[in-house]
Amino acid sequence: MSTSRRRTLLKVIVLGDSGVGKTSLMNQYVHKKFSQQYKATIGADFVTKEVLIEDRLVTLQIWDTAGQERFQSLGVAFYRGADCCVLVYDVNVNRSFDTLNTWHDEFLNQASPSDPKTFPFILLGNKIDVDGGKSRVVSEKKAMEWCASKGNIPYFETSAKEDRNVDSAFLSVAKLALEHERDQDIYFQTVVADPVPEVEQRSGCAC
Amino acid sequence: MGAAAAFDFEYKRDAYGFAVRPQHLQRFREYAKIYKEEEEERAERWKDFLDRLAESADDITTSISPSKEYAAARDVNEGGHLDGAENVENSNRDGIKCKDEKEEEEEDAKKSDKPENLKEVDGSNQSQEANGEADDSNDVSANSEKLKEESIADSIESNKASEELREVNGCSEELLNEDGGSEGLKDSHGVSDGLGQANNDNLEKLEELFLDKGLLDELKPIRVESEKRVRASISIIEKMMSSRVVKKSNTANGMCGKGETQLASIEEEERTADKSCRGDPAEESSDPDKVEPAQDRESGDSTSAALEGGNGEPYFPWREELESLVRGGVPMALRGEMWQAFVGVGARKITGYYNKLLDEGTEELDEKNLEDQVLTEQTSAQKKLPQPEKWKGQIEKDLPRTFPGHPALDEDGRNALRRLLTAYARHNPSVGYCQAMNFFAGLFLLFMPEEHAFWALVGVIDEYFDGYYTEEMIESQVDQLVLEEVVRERFPKLAKHMDFLGVQVAWVTGPWFLSIFINMLPWESVLRVWDVILFEGNRTMLFRTTLALLDLYGPALVTTKDAGDAITLLQSLAGSTFDSSQLVLTACMGFQSVREIGLRELRKKHRPDIISSMEERSKDRHSWKDKKGLATKLYSFKHDSSSICPQVNSKEGADGLQVNGEIQFFDSGSANLETYLTSSTLENELDQGIDLQDQVRTPILIYLYWMG
């Protein structure tokens, strides 16, 4: 029961247009590797990573999603129960920035969190390494403005390729998710009136 | 691997040129030996079967015989110089083309292994279009030759590596030399020269995984000794398999999301025995039988009905034997041919259609324009193109992400892939391009000529997976509901445990189904599963394979303590399912009672849930402010977990679902709690069928962790 020995699971969803580098960011973060040769993600993929935050061991379940729009139809199943949503765009591609609204709203729509207004998002502007930044088309300012308009979403500029800011971005993700999860705990302790059936279910599953 | 540090992600490659994940290398090596033994046995069994089949059909055999000699001859001469996975394609390509010219060239061809032969072969490419169907007769032999080579090339240790490598390099040079001669053969050609350019990097990687040459000799009998019989037999099989295509062709034009289309079952064979001796070059382009189904499809008339002789009774007494052989695996050497026969490429093919599709885009499909296209999409709002082919950008993104590093998918290979996907997208706009198709197309390209790969893709996406890859992906979602139900029935304990952990099986199995296991299982297993799927002509094997995997790994899964572990474990166990025979046999035998008929019923049952949820969701985006019905929904969610009855009746079946192409998202700025509650309940309705407890599960989990 003590918080120190409790293992915390945080579910994180990574969203963004196809090709912005979602899989690469994840792999850089989890496996410390980068390859030009990623395969397209079909449906969704999944990795876990353990992080230590404030002396707590936290397990991030990171869901890497397919960027093609139509796969959003399948999103309901994946998004549900998320503790944080990581939005990714490519600073060199306007369109990937323009669609952020869509991803943001569609996530809320499908995940239907209990606290849509305060649900934690984070924005990553990826591929800042490309061309030494010369091919960049979305300015940091523009991105920050967008973040401000969405309730001060934290923003990180990253390069999965050069491992820039990846760790700090995901650390921030983990913290946000943890906060969110705490809030949820409180929320559900008060809202879920009768925990007994769940406990039963649990014991019933001593497979 | 020497350069390990620099190339952490440069995987080793298997006999097909596919990457082997580093963590699996050890097991792969163990299994490579088993695969080889299995392949030898398999070759024997198939040879025996095909021989007997040929004997039973002398008439057909005779009609084919003219082509056989030079096919064999070509075989010999081609066999020698290609290596590596690229050659599979190459050989196919060449195999296809050489027909008429072949006769003249036969002499030279027999003699040697020299680059000139390639040139000749290449020259004969020009006849390709005309040859159309007849190609196949040569294909097989070429194929077998190549595949043998290939298996040698990739698989095992490295004592022979250096000499092999030398050979390989030599070959690629030879092939390179040929490139000049073959320009202009746009479609037929892309891959073949692409293959030639196999680069040394890849070859070096292949070097470490050579199989010994034994397999080559084992397979020889199939190729040379009984070339004629093989040809004849394949024709027979092809005819049998094609019958379902012919039947289907009446509806083939309406590929657009009709929900589930019932495929004519294999048993319903046509009896028109005189057609489809496709091995005979004489038939080629002028063969009316080839063209007819085509016209059918285009015009929607029902000439094809005439071709449907039989009415449901099994006409092919050896069908069951074939089925069991297929379950045991199609020999590498025959896989390309057999797959084409299974999908009915010959019966589907409409001469000229593929090229026509490619010509539709006025602009050349070269890199530059595509970049422009991407740029256009990114900057201006696509105003230039009246009907923007919005899938283009996605295809471009995925080309390099399709089997990255595969020796066959060099620049020319990718150009072929681009053409294939583009043609398909134009052929069936309701699907356009969906990620995952790049893998299917890539796979087909490894086993058959480009245009044939197109028709194979058409067969799989339009029919086997009708409604799967469309914008709404209805059938894909339906199948996951169906699977969920079957899993609950078959593995109650596992299902319960997954519920407990808050894991939806669909999280893992959704991607399995969508990718038809590509990248999810080791390649040998993927191919074995594909053998069966293509043979059966439906998606039953997806279910059976998944059930088999759960059967194999269920005991491990129920020991997991949290969702992450469970998912990770299942994914990684699946990824290391090297025992492909065990997998396929468990699937086919252990779950034989899971049948298409039953699945159809279940789909029928679950489809309305999906459709109404989709409609609700799209409606929700339009009228999210409308709070009416909220109470009802909440009520029904809380009190009737199995009710999937949104108050709005879905108009009709899947056909009616025209989720408006444009998706309108509600303005998040003005979103309020009710909105989210509303959408939440709507989502719940969708989820009921999948998972009754999901809504509360995660919080409960968290709660439980607090507790304990």
Side-chain angles (χ1 to χ4, degrees):
Chain A
M1 209 88 52
S2 82
T3 47
S4 58
R5 57 174 280 254
R6 174 181 153 222
R7 187 179 173 196
T8 307
L9 297 166
L10 301 172
K11 181 170 177 180
V12 175
I13 310 287
V14 184
L15 299 179
D17 274 9
S18 180
V20 298
K22 298 181 292 297
T23 304
S24 293
L25 281 165
M26 245 180 52
N27 272 288
Q28 182 58 265
Y29 177 58
V30 175
H31 302 299
K32 293 285 159 227
K33 280 173 187 168
F34 177 82
S35 167
Q36 303 279 4
Q37 302 191 337
Y38 280 113
K39 54 185 201 283
T41 306
I42 304 304
D45 204 352
F46 175 89
V47 292
T48 59
K49 165 102 173 175
E50 301 210 325
V51 271
L52 204 57
I53 301 174
E54 300 156 14
D55 295 330
R56 274 181 71 177
L57 193 58
V58 166
T59 304
L60 290 182
Q61 303 174 358
I62 309 175
W63 286 91
D64 178 23
T65 60
Q68 194 177 15
E69 193 178 302
R70 72 184 66 180
F71 285 103
Q72 283 182 31
S73 325
L74 315 178
V76 195
F78 296 110
Y79 300 170
R80 186 68 49 82
D83 294 299
C84 181
C85 176
V86 180
L87 299 171
V88 185
Y89 79 99
D90 178 347
V91 298
N92 308 288
V93 179
N94 267 319
R95 195 186 140 74
S96 72
F97 181 78
D98 297 338
T99 51
L100 287 174
N101 276 325
T102 305
W103 287 111
H104 178 269
D105 296 350
E106 187 67 358
F107 174 81
L108 288 177
N109 186 17
Q110 295 205 32
S112 48
S114 55
D115 51 349
K117 294 235 174 206
T118 56
F119 185 87
F121 283 89
I122 190 167
L123 179 66
L124 309 187
N126 193 34
K127 301 198 189 181
I128 54 171
D129 59 278
V130 174
D131 249 4
K134 280 180 214 138
S135 61
R136 173 170 193 146
V137 293
V138 181
S139 70
E140 188 170 358
K141 181 163 168 273
K142 195 173 167 190
M144 304 279 271
E145 280 166 11
W146 187 83
C147 287
S149 78
K150 296 292 173 187
N152 290 321
I153 294 177
Y155 176 60
F156 289 84
E157 302 221 321
T158 58
S159 162
K161 187 177 179 184
E162 296 178 357
D163 195 11
R164 282 157 68 182
N165 251 348
V166 177
D167 274 352
S168 44
F170 275 95
L171 186 64
S172 172
V173 168
K175 284 180 180 162
L176 281 174
L178 190 59
E179 275 171 36
H180 176 257
E181 190 249 15
R182 278 179 185 143
D183 295 346
Q184 292 295 294
D185 280 355
I186 293 159
Y187 175 76
F188 276 98
Q189 273 174 351
T190 53
V191 170
V192 178
D194 181 13
V196 177
E198 288 89 75
V199 174
E200 272 174 2
Q201 184 196 0
R202 180 197 182 205
S203 57
C205 190
C207 325
Chain B
M1 178 139 87
F7 297 102
D8 276 335
F9 274 75
E10 300 296 333
Y11 301 129
K12 306 277 173 149
R13 298 188 172 272
D14 67 7
Y16 301 88
F18 291 119
V20 177
R21 295 189 182 110
Q23 67 269 32
H24 293 146
L25 204 52
Q26 190 53 42
R27 291 199 73 200
F28 170 74
R29 288 207 163 110
E30 285 162 27
Y31 273 94
K33 289 169 201 147
I34 296 169
Y35 292 160
K36 180 177 165 267
E37 284 168 22
E38 285 183 344
E39 183 70 14
E40 286 163 6
E41 278 169 39
R42 199 177 281 147
E44 278 307 306
R45 291 176 68 205
W46 278 81
K47 175 182 172 304
D48 175 60
F49 172 74
L50 295 175
D51 278 352
R52 278 183 288 117
L53 195 56
E55 270 162 33
S56 73
D58 282 343
D59 46 331
I60 295 175
T61 320
T62 18
S63 77
I64 291 186
S65 51
S67 70
K68 131 213 138 165
E69 264 116 54
Y70 52 78
R74 202 189 79 260
D75 234 273
V76 172
N77 84 71
E78 275 189 1
H81 46 176
L82 302 173
D83 219 336
E86 313 84 77
N87 303 324
V88 179
E89 296 208 44
N90 230 341
S91 66
N92 279 334
R93 216 125 295 255
D94 295 340
I96 304 191
K97 340 248 133 117
C98 8
K99 255 299 95 124
D100 307 319
E101 283 83 348
K102 209 62 210 179
E103 278 168 311
E104 300 135 37
E105 294 161 12
E106 196 177 346
E107 285 284 273
D108 318 43
K110 271 183 201 155
K111 292 181 188 156
S112 65
D113 233 86
K114 296 281 157 56
E116 301 91 65
N117 288 333
L118 257 199
K119 212 173 289 162
E120 287 156 4
V121 170
D122 225 315
S124 62
N125 282 358
Q126 279 129 12
S127 65
Q128 195 243 359
E129 272 310 59
N131 283 334
E133 309 301 316
D135 330 343
D136 301 10
S137 63
N138 286 337
D139 250 337
V140 168
S141 50
N143 246 339
S144 60
E145 199 44 64
K146 266 35 204 183
L147 285 166
K148 249 168 288 161
E149 286 290 324
E150 178 189 276
S151 63
I152 294 163
D154 294 64
S155 305
I156 291 188
E157 312 304 335
S158 52
N159 30 356
K160 298 193 180 147
S162 57
E163 30 168 312
E164 290 280 0
L165 184 59
R166 232 174 293 128
E167 287 175 30
V168 168
N169 284 333
C171 295
S172 60
E173 276 164 33
E174 289 169 16
L175 285 166
L176 275 168
N177 293 337
E178 290 317 303
D179 286 347
S182 39
E183 338 159 343
L185 302 174
K186 182 171 85 173
D187 62 312
S188 59
H189 175 72
V191 179
S192 67
D193 46 64
L195 295 176
Q197 293 162 351
N199 62 44
N200 289 343
D201 289 350
N202 284 326
L203 296 169
E204 273 160 30
K205 269 175 258 150
L206 293 172
E207 169 189 4
E208 305 199 18
L209 294 170
F210 287 106
L211 259 185
D212 69 66
K213 289 234 176 203
L215 186 52
L216 180 61
D217 302 324
E218 288 303 323
L219 294 176
K220 212 151 228 156
I222 286 193
R223 181 178 52 87
V224 180
E225 178 190 302
S226 52
E227 163 68 23
K228 168 180 173 180
R229 283 156 179 255
V230 169
R231 255 328 325 150
S233 307
I234 289 176
S235 294
I236 297 169
I237 293 169
E238 183 170 25
K239 180 174 53 167
M240 177 186 93
M241 305 304 292
S242 296
S243 62
R244 64 181 174 203
V245 176
V246 172
K247 292 189 171 204
K248 174 79 184 165
S249 69
N250 287 328
T251 54
N253 205 21
M255 328 73 194
C256 328
K258 283 180 193 55
E260 136 184 310
T261 313
Q262 323 259 342
L263 292 172
S265 80
I266 289 176
E267 289 92 75
E268 305 172 279
E269 300 309 328
E270 63 155 316
R271 288 159 181 266
T272 45
D274 47 311
K275 347 242 167 204
S276 82
C277 306
R278 307 197 320 141
D280 189 344
E283 290 186 4
E284 316 191 318
S285 55
S286 60
D287 182 355
D289 292 334
K290 304 284 139 75
V291 184
E292 243 162 54
Q295 289 165 341
D296 247 8
R297 245 167 279 163
E298 299 256 74
S299 63
D301 79 38
S302 55
T303 332
S304 63
L307 297 177
E308 299 172 33
N311 54 346
E313 43 186 297
Y315 176 67
F316 297 94
W318 37 264
R319 199 193 72 87
E320 283 191 10
E321 187 179 357
L322 178 59
E323 180 178 63
S324 105
L325 283 172
V326 169
R327 289 172 173 185
V330 177
M332 287 175 85
L334 292 174
R335 198 164 255 140
E337 272 301 293
M338 282 300 158
W339 281 12
Q340 292 182 56
F342 294 165
V343 188
V345 165
R348 290 175 200 281
K349 190 171 165 188
I350 303 166
T351 307
Y353 183 62
Y354 182 62
N355 285 329
K356 201 184 120 239
L357 289 171
L358 289 178
D359 291 341
E360 265 178 34
T362 42
E363 55 308 58
E364 275 293 299
L365 286 170
D366 60 41
E367 293 284 351
K368 238 183 271 162
N369 284 319
L370 281 157
E371 276 166 26
D372 291 349
Q373 169 78 26
V374 173
L375 252 173
T376 309
E377 277 179 20
Q378 285 167 2
T379 53
S380 75
Q382 306 152 318
K383 55 189 172 187
K384 288 194 176 166
L385 306 167
Q387 280 208 322
E389 296 184 313
K390 61 173 182 174
W391 31 262
K392 269 189 180 174
Q394 189 66 53
I395 290 177
E396 281 314 299
K397 280 179 192 166
D398 290 342
L399 291 176
R401 302 197 289 176
T402 309
F403 310 140
H406 191 288
L409 287 171
D410 57 3
E411 190 183 340
D412 291 299
R414 294 198 190 282
N415 287 335
L417 186 58
R418 175 187 296 119
R419 288 192 294 272
L420 193 51
L421 293 171
T422 301
Y424 182 84
R426 290 178 181 152
H427 156 76
N428 186 352
S430 75
V431 170
Y433 170 71
C434 180
Q435 291 186 307
M437 286 165 53
N438 55 322
F439 296 121
F440 310 156
L443 182 58
F444 283 141
L445 276 176
L446 295 182
F447 285 104
M448 57 193 83
E450 183 177 329
E451 187 170 357
H452 292 207
F454 169 76
W455 290 105
L457 190 64
V458 166
V460 169
I461 308 287
D462 286 2
E463 288 180 22
Y464 296 23
F465 288 80
D466 187 19
Y468 238 65
Y469 299 101
T470 52
E471 201 66 50
E472 301 81 18
M473 307 188 88
I474 301 277
E475 294 306 306
S476 165
Q477 298 180 66
V478 171
D479 268 7
Q480 289 308 311
L481 288 189
V482 171
L483 178 71
E484 169 84 17
E485 180 169 342
V486 177
V487 168
R488 281 185 188 284
E489 182 196 319
R490 299 273 169 156
F491 306 103
K493 201 170 156 187
L494 177 64
K496 210 174 172 190
H497 187 71
M498 293 293 118
D499 286 346
F500 166 66
L501 296 179
V503 172
Q504 290 185 28
V505 174
W507 289 347
V508 180
T509 56
W512 287 357
F513 275 49
L514 281 170
S515 57
I516 320 184
F517 296 107
I518 290 178
N519 296 324
M520 307 292 164
L521 300 175
W523 270 103
E524 182 73 13
S525 298
V526 170
L527 295 171
R528 292 284 299 275
V529 169
W530 276 65
D531 286 342
V532 178
I533 289 176
L534 297 180
F535 174 77
E536 292 181 343
N538 57 46
R539 303 195 295 272
T540 306
M541 187 60 181
L542 287 181
F543 288 87
R544 288 179 175 173
T545 305
T546 299
L547 293 168
L549 288 165
L550 293 177
D551 192 41
L552 292 171
Y553 304 131
L557 286 173
V558 295
T559 66
T560 52
K561 299 273 192 286
D562 72 50
D565 290 350
I567 297 162
T568 311
L569 184 68
L570 181 52
Q571 285 179 338
S572 79
L573 287 174
S576 62
T577 310
F578 282 93
D579 195 338
S580 48
S581 290
Q582 183 192 31
L583 175 66
V584 173
L585 294 179
T586 306
C588 294
M589 309 313 247
F591 296 95
Q592 130 185 89
S593 58
V594 175
R595 305 178 70 90
E596 183 66 8
I597 289 199
L599 293 176
R600 258 177 223 165
E601 288 308 307
L602 290 175
R603 287 180 187 129
K604 212 181 284 174
K605 173 179 150 195
H606 287 289
R607 190 172 294 114
D609 309 354
I610 296 292
I611 289 171
S612 54
S613 305
M614 294 287 296
E615 288 181 346
E616 282 295 314
R617 244 183 47 215
S618 79
K619 226 171 83 115
D620 191 41
R621 293 192 187 100
H622 293 289
S623 57
W624 56 274
K625 288 190 180 177
D626 182 357
K627 293 164 204 157
K628 265 195 297 178
L630 177 58
T632 329
K633 281 172 205 216
L634 279 173
Y635 181 86
S636 83
F637 165 61
K638 285 182 178 155
H639 296 268
D640 181 6
S641 55
S642 64
S643 90
I644 329 286
C645 44
Q647 57 340 1
V648 186
N649 254 343
S650 58
K651 308 169 226 154
E652 58 258 41
D655 292 35
L657 185 79
Q658 284 296 347
V659 174
N660 326 335
E662 93 293 16
I663 301 177
Q664 300 178 0
F665 298 99
F666 58 76
D667 169 14
S668 63
S670 56
N672 54 24
L673 185 59
E674 282 84 349
T675 309
Y676 290 108
L677 281 175
T678 307
S679 60
S680 153
T681 50
L682 293 168
E683 299 309 334
N684 289 337
E685 280 164 1
L686 170 63
D687 264 355
Q688 301 293 315
I690 302 181
D691 177 7
L692 307 181
Q693 276 111 4
D694 184 58
Q695 177 62 11
V696 272
R697 189 183 290 144
T698 309
I700 286 171
L701 257 188
I702 292 162
Y703 185 80
L704 286 175
Y705 277 105
W706 269 109
M707 302 288 292

